[in-house]
Amino acid sequence: MNRKYFFFNITLFAVVAFLYSCGLRKLPQPIGSNLSYPGSIVSDSPSSYLLLNTAANDDYSDGSIQRYTVDSSGNQTLASVISVPSHGTEIAVTNDGKLVALSFDDSYADTQLKFYDYSSPNSAQQLKNLTLTFPNSGGKQTIKRLGTFKRSSETNFYYVYGTIYTSANLDGTYNNIPPRTFLTKVATNFSSSQTIMIMSYGLGDPNSFVKQSTAFNSANTTNDVQYTFGFEAPTYDAQNDLFIAFPTGTLGKFAGGVINSYPSLPKPFEYFSTTAAKYNKCTTYNCTDFRAVSLAAVFMPNLVSGKSADESTFFVPLAWNQNGIPYAATSNGIDIVYSENLDKVDTQSFSFQSQFWSSYWSNTANPGTTATTCYDATATSNANQYGTITQNSLFVVKKGTNGTNQISDNSANGSTGYGGEIFLINGFDLLIANIASINTARNADTTVDKTDFASLAKYQVVDRFNSTANLNSNWLQGSATVATKNGGPLTYYMYSRTSSNAIFKNLSTAVPNLKIFNFDGGNCRPYWYRVTTSAKTYGLDSTWIGNNFSGLGAGATTYPGATTDPTLTYYYSYPTTNGANLCTDVSVSAGIPFVFCYNFLYNTATRFKVTQTSGVFTEY
């Protein structure tokens, strides 16, 4: 046989065999009505909820959004399914249930937000013209913490927000990019969408924050961006028309991977002291950029009227001690003020704060309940600033312990907590009054350089050094034992702490979402689900559903003026290392909530009836 002909036949046979084997290989099928790594769940009405299947293991060719209806007995029925791209991360729905936003993990080259028309909920369809693509900071990007709101003064737009999280590339580059929160708006007739703001500095994002020239290291002229920061844990306060997010701290060239190492922060007690001589405002170089350790409140009327992100955002520096006690309050008999008690642990642990998991305004509209509001509009006062929930309150979850960004317990009795503490913040009515005064003063100042935060800071940072006259006249007394006022318009209080449960001592946990049960008649209770966050679990996460229904008990001395005891939190515990669970509530009958949870790893559903007595969550 001709050797050339022989080898030609052998090669041809091998190619044909390979192609044939490929033809026999089974391609992933569409997901259909199956469950596959459910990654997000939201209620879209009092009698239905939406479940996102991520299909993250690629067993299916697509993902899906399933819609379930719920009857008065709490039984769910699959009503409809639409196909969506796989590797989704979260869904969010508008309060009228008509628009759904979908985000994705870092499996894709582009960081996109897709939208779906749910006007006819059982025949939903994608709105391709609304897809938004966000700028890339260099690493691999994922969008989480999606939410929506609609301003009462605007009928033509929905607002959709979320946070972009960046992880390092395979070669380790871009491993220190802070989270960045974005705000977009979508026309209610689905004709257009646009990104109107990205809350970041130093990353080249459009509609982000301007530089602060006095924070630069003047000895280094080759590096234009010497640090970066962003914001995370966003929410919307409809009572005061504020879009709110929380600080990440600074990172960048001079940070060396350590949070807030550059620009350096002042000593917190000296900064918050009533004696201005204790803190001289920096006006030269290496000055603190307080935006990186401040709650950011975007005053929406400013933003929609055409003012820049810098003129629309007001920054309130955050600081508290290991028990979550703010400046000028009293805890364990010690006044948290600049005084002779600086050698006490209650004062030594007082520090600036950054890095947070999630937040939730107290009266956030829940499509899963028929009631429109939970808490009344009582003004914040000396009497109710600690622990009392009103329309001027929001919850936020701290990453790590409240005094540091590490999971640790450096006290004998566990008083520092084990990480992921839930805080209540009061006083947004006082902040909005400050913003009105600041707007008037800044608009009249023709010397302000709006391209440099060194010039804007004297108005936009809401602290004792703000240039607006009598700004702190409405700030509250910190406590009955000291004449000192709070360090700002807001009051912080620890609502729930993990040190009450020893199981959290060696676990890193997060609270990805908080919500409010409405038992009707104005009787409302916050709840949340807590999950482990360690990469070492490889998907075998643990989950707890938590709430604080307890009255004030042993914590009265540590938390004076409080209405609930942070150490008496109740948890329903799932079996350990059994996969993360995600939950939502619906109230088919007003005041009778049901909770539905889905397990990410095993595709199983758990249902609960909810009561206001001990036990709280009853599986059925």
Side-chain angles (χ1 to χ4, degrees), residues 166-324:
T166 304
S167 56
N169 295 318
L170 293 177
D171 60 3
T173 56
Y174 297 98
N175 64 346
N176 63 345
I177 304 298
R180 305 120 73 202
T181 287
F182 62 81
L183 180 62
T184 71
K185 68 177 183 180
V186 178
T188 53
N189 63 1
F190 303 148
S191 62
S192 64
S193 64
Q194 69 177 107
T195 302
I196 59 176
M197 184 180 188
I198 298 181
M199 302 176 75
S200 68
Y201 168 73
L203 296 169
D205 291 325
N207 302 316
S208 57
F209 296 127
V210 295
K211 68 178 182 180
Q212 178 180 316
S213 59
T214 56
F216 280 21
N217 184 339
S218 59
N220 188 314
T221 59
T222 60
N223 183 32
D224 184 49
V225 178
Q226 300 181 352
Y227 62 97
T228 63
F229 62 83
F231 289 86
E232 56 192 338
T235 191
Y236 174 68
D237 171 358
Q239 171 72 10
N240 299 296
D241 206 6
L242 295 172
F243 178 60
I244 297 165
F246 289 81
T248 63
T250 58
L251 285 169
K253 181 175 178 62
F254 292 99
V258 179
I259 298 292
N260 289 329
S261 64
Y262 181 88
S264 60
L265 291 167
K267 295 180 179 179
F269 264 131
E270 294 184 3
Y271 169 73
F272 283 96
S273 170
T274 55
T275 304
K278 298 294 183 183
Y279 168 71
N280 295 318
K281 293 188 68 176
C282 181
T283 58
T284 54
Y285 63 92
N286 293 356
C287 299
T288 301
D289 192 333
F290 283 104
R291 292 175 293 183
V293 288
S294 295
L295 174 152
V298 181
F299 186 51
M300 290 301 296
N302 277 14
L303 193 65
V304 300
S305 67
K307 290 190 179 298
S308 67
D310 306 280
E311 295 174 277
S312 302
T313 308
F314 298 83
F315 301 92
V316 184
L318 299 176
W320 49 71
N321 77 351
Q322 64 176 16
N323 292 315

Side-chain angles (χ1 to χ4, degrees), residues 493-497 500 548 552 555 559 562 564-569:
Y493 165 77
M494 188 178 291
Y495 184 79
S496 173
R497 72 181 318 157
S500 60
N548 189 348
L552 191 63
Y559 310 98
T564 56
D565 188 342
T567 67
L568 297 180
T569 302

Side-chain angles (χ1 to χ4, degrees), residues 26-71:
K26 187 176 181 180
L27 296 175
Q29 62 179 329
I31 191 171
S33 60
N34 295 305
L35 292 173
S36 179
Y37 293 89
S40 183
I41 183 173
V42 295
S43 54
D44 65 322
S45 81
S47 58
S48 59
Y49 61 87
L50 304 177
L51 180 69
L52 169 67
N53 286 289
T54 69
N57 63 343
D58 297 324
D59 280 350
Y60 298 99
S61 60
D62 59 353
S64 70
I65 299 177
Q66 298 175 337
R67 184 172 186 267
Y68 291 84
T69 56
V70 181
D71 63 24

